[in-house]
Amino acid sequence: MATIKTRICMISDTHTSTPHPPQATNHAYRHPLPKANILLHAGDLTKVGYRVEHEAMISMLTTAEAELKLVIAGNHDITLDEDYFTSFGYTRHQRPEQLGDQSILLSDDLHPALRTSPPNKDSLRAYARSIKSLWTSEAARKAGIIYLEEGTHSFTLSTGARFTIYASPYQPEFYNWAFAYPRSEDRYNPAPVAHAQPVNPVPDYPAVDIMLTHGPPVGVLDQVPPDLNVGCEHLLRAVRRAKPRLHLFGHIHEGWGAQRGVWDDEVGGGVRLEDLSTDIEEMLESRGAFCDVSDGAERPLRVGEETLFVNGSIMTVNYEARNAPWVVDLELPVAGA
């Protein structure tokens, strides 16, 4: 199959923090973001989903130099999960939220529906839909920004690269935030006959080139103190079936990094993981952590046998925007090849 080298810039968990000014050379996450063909954002765009936060993130992505900018929500983007916001999430807009060392309450952004007790559910629903409309507007599309719902989506770039991406903003239940599912639930793999099937299962290899999820698969860049792996075991099984070229996620700030996953049924979890090395000085100078697994690289990605895993969390565990964007060169199929 004919392929073409494609550059992808990846970020996650920005929590409304825009890139630092260009002169802030002690931060890799600074303006402008590295130029790429595709920019991926794996969710937690905001701290608590206020309108002004979403507007700030759309403005930031609009200025990014990439033909296509694909975005999913995360558990903190509560106004993008309509059912969650209207049933519980709105309460997070009525009281301060403690995130890292910051207490967040943007009282001037409170929608009138939130000022009554109990709030009108129809008004809450309308407010949530108005937030999503920011991401699905014609202005966003003209800027190359496309908000992805859970499921598979296909795109063709002006270079001729055509790819299919599986997207999902969900992760195992996490302190009653948005886009959550019980750990016992498998929303990614087809169930046995006569059982309820997931709404948007991950397709088998080779249908998916890229996976974009907010949460990580278990055992992959998902560790929190004290040595706990908090990713999803069902998601790992789905990635093992799909064997995408690239899987970007975030959610676990401590897990920032990248690993080459070699699919091997003889090892635990079915995958051998190799850390990708980084150089702090190089990241600061180039405004990103760069990795080349294209056909011209020293070690090209073996499609169907390997997956490049990336945790793109920009925020540290203390909610400091200090982590570098990841920038990967890889091969994508050519349309019509």
Side-chain angles (χ1 to χ4, degrees):
M1 176 186 292
T3 61
I4 186 169
K5 184 177 179 179
T6 305
R7 175 158 289 188
I8 305 175
C9 179
M10 294 169 286
I11 57 177
S12 184
D13 295 76
T14 50
H15 293 287
T16 321
S17 288
T18 56
H20 295 280
Q23 60 271 25
T25 54
N26 59 328
H27 291 279
Y29 179 59
R30 67 180 188 274
H31 186 80
L33 291 174
K35 180 180 179 181
N37 301 106
I38 306 167
L39 188 151
L40 301 177
H41 195 305
D44 274 4
L45 300 144
T46 66
K47 294 184 177 76
V48 282
Y50 291 110
R51 179 185 295 276
V52 293
E53 293 187 276
H54 287 290
E55 290 172 341
M57 288 293 95
I58 290 173
S59 177
M60 182 269 281
L61 290 171
T62 296
T63 64
E65 197 169 353
E67 177 181 347
L68 190 60
K69 306 155 190 179
L70 304 180
V71 175
I72 61 171
N75 56 290
H76 278 261
D77 304 316
I78 63 175
T79 38
L80 292 175
D81 187 343
E82 186 177 307
D83 290 340
Y84 169 82
F85 184 72
T86 56
S87 62
F88 174 80
Y90 70 87
T91 64
R92 296 187 180 276
H93 282 196
Q94 295 176 318
R95 64 175 191 269
E97 286 288 351
Q98 192 70 29
L99 301 176
D101 295 327
Q102 305 175 43
S103 181
I104 309 299
L105 178 62
L106 303 180
S107 58
D108 291 341
D109 193 51
L110 284 178
H111 189 270
L114 300 175
R115 301 183 186 278
T116 62
S117 185
N120 180 278
K121 291 299 179 73
D122 289 337
S123 295
L124 289 177
R125 199 169 295 278
Y127 177 59
R129 290 177 181 178
S130 75
I131 297 295
K132 183 173 287 186
S133 71
L134 296 173
W135 289 99
T136 58
S137 69
E138 184 63 23
R141 281 193 168 267
K142 284 184 177 179
I145 300 170
I146 298 180
Y147 176 79
L148 300 180
E149 304 280 4
E150 185 178 65
T152 55
H153 312 264
S154 294
F155 300 94
T156 302
L157 299 175
S158 61
T159 62
R162 178 171 176 79
F163 65 98
T164 297
I165 185 169
Y166 176 87
S168 177
Y170 293 90
Q171 75 287 307
E173 199 286 322
F174 187 77
Y175 295 104
N176 200 18
W177 285 90
F179 296 104
Y181 56 87
R183 279 198 171 271
S184 59
E185 179 184 332
D186 185 353
R187 66 182 302 117
Y188 304 112
N189 299 284
V193 177
H195 287 71
Q197 299 295 318
V199 178
N200 297 298
V202 177
D204 289 339
Y205 175 82
V208 174
D209 300 294
I210 299 172
M211 288 183 64
L212 176 64
T213 63
H214 182 57
V218 68
V220 185
L221 302 168
D222 69 333
Q223 197 170 89
V224 300
D227 300 327
L228 297 176
N229 295 106
V230 294
C232 178
E233 62 181 45
H234 305 298
L235 179 57
L236 178 62
R237 289 197 294 115
V239 184
R240 190 163 64 234
R241 282 192 301 102
K243 296 180 173 60
R245 300 163 192 254
L246 173 68
H247 183 189
L248 171 67
F249 47 86
H251 187 46
I252 305 303
H253 298 185
E254 302 95 312
W256 177 91
Q259 293 178 324
R260 183 188 290 255
V262 182
W263 299 109
D264 183 350
D265 292 338
E266 300 300 317
V267 301
V271 61
R272 287 188 285 109
L273 298 169
E274 305 170 15
D275 290 334
L276 268 64
S277 62
T278 56
D279 182 277
I280 294 177
E281 295 302 322
E282 287 182 3
M283 289 191 295
L284 290 175
E285 182 177 351
S286 57
R287 307 188 315 281
F290 284 72
C291 171
D292 187 356
V293 292
S294 69
D295 284 350
E298 181 177 332
R299 186 182 170 190
L301 188 78
R302 294 178 296 156
V303 178
E305 299 179 40
E306 297 177 326
T307 293
L308 185 63
F309 293 101
V310 177
N311 181 325
S313 297
I314 293 298
M315 287 288 187
T316 67
V317 69
N318 295 321
Y319 284 81
E320 298 174 326
R322 301 196 62 89
N323 291 333
W326 277 91
V327 184
V328 172
D329 290 330
L330 54 69
E331 301 291 325
L332 288 178
V334 173

